[in-house]
Amino acid sequence: LTIPSIDFAELREVLNISPEQDLLGVPSSYSEEQKRRHLGIIERYEQEALKNSRLQPDVNSVLNAFAAANIKMGVITRNSVDSAKKVLSLISIEFEPILTRDFIPVKPDPAPINYILEYWDLLPENVLMVGDYRDDLLCGKNAGTSTCFFSNPEKASFAELADFTVFSFAELKQMIL
């Protein structure tokens, strides 16, 4: 929905977490104090990113077209509730449901999508998971949905994990409608 602005490489360095490790999974072995410190650092990075947060081009017009076509849309994010609310306040449609990192387990586990499938009373083959990172695509694959990689310039590509790849919301609209 937004143009990525968190420097995850820097965040991983600050937290001393390798790219192979899960930023939200590592703290499960920490003491409560270490968990609070770890999540506090992640929260600071999210809050800083919100200051520079910009929506992807055409996001509102395309999502409004999807809503007009009665396409159900939910959000699964590894961000905090506060960060999600702030970003979603920039978008002119309502998502239902919205699952944040408080929904355990987080993606790439299929649990968030499985919850949404049950909530919407839909089968996986009738749902498309769109995301710009490996965890989004693995979450969709693990739940049995089709997946679409949203490629962002100068960011890593995970197109090989997806059924489809798009480079803009306009392209996503052409693919779906």
Side-chain angles (χ1 to χ4, degrees):
L1 300 175
T2 60
I3 297 169
S5 60
I6 292 179
D7 185 342
F8 283 102
E10 179 183 300
L11 176 58
R12 287 179 173 285
E13 188 175 315
V14 167
L15 293 172
N16 195 29
I17 294 180
S18 74
E20 296 79 33
Q21 295 176 294
D22 185 342
L23 283 170
L24 297 177
V26 168
S28 63
S29 63
Y30 291 176
S31 70
E32 286 305 312
E33 183 180 324
Q34 288 173 308
K35 282 181 193 175
R36 276 193 300 279
R37 181 185 163 281
H38 180 94
L39 290 174
I41 292 169
I42 292 173
E43 184 72 26
R44 281 196 299 279
Y45 271 76
E46 288 177 2
Q47 292 301 315
E48 190 61 34
L50 285 171
K51 294 176 188 174
N52 304 314
S53 192
R54 293 180 299 135
L55 293 177
Q56 292 281 354
D58 302 316
V59 69
N60 274 311
S61 63
V62 170
L63 295 180
N64 278 309
F66 291 165
N70 293 314
I71 295 173
K72 296 176 188 252
M73 293 175 279
V75 170
I76 302 171
T77 179
R78 291 169 54 106
N79 287 352
S80 69
V81 171
D82 185 49
S83 292
K85 283 181 180 177
K86 287 179 181 167
V87 167
L88 295 176
S89 73
L90 303 173
I91 297 173
S92 61
I93 64 127
E94 296 289 323
F95 294 93
E96 185 64 32
I98 300 166
L99 304 179
T100 65
R101 68 169 161 249
D102 292 340
F103 184 96
I104 306 291
V106 295
K107 55 187 178 176
D109 192 283
I113 287 186
N114 289 334
Y115 174 86
I116 290 174
L117 292 172
E118 187 174 320
Y119 185 88
W120 288 343
D121 193 27
L122 289 175
L123 296 172
E125 55 266 24
N126 297 323
V127 173
L128 177 66
M129 173 60 159
V130 179
D132 65 356
Y133 189 66
R134 172 188 65 225
D135 290 349
D136 304 310
L137 304 171
L138 292 175
C139 182
K141 290 282 186 201
N142 292 336
T145 70
S146 293
T147 57
C148 180
F149 174 61
F150 194 104
S151 183
N152 285 294
E154 301 175 29
K155 297 292 180 183
S157 176
F158 300 99
E160 72 280 359
L161 298 174
D163 299 304
F164 309 98
T165 297
V166 296
F167 297 87
S168 68
F169 269 89
E171 193 175 347
L172 182 64
K173 181 181 177 185
Q174 280 186 304
M175 185 181 89
I176 292 177
L177 294 181

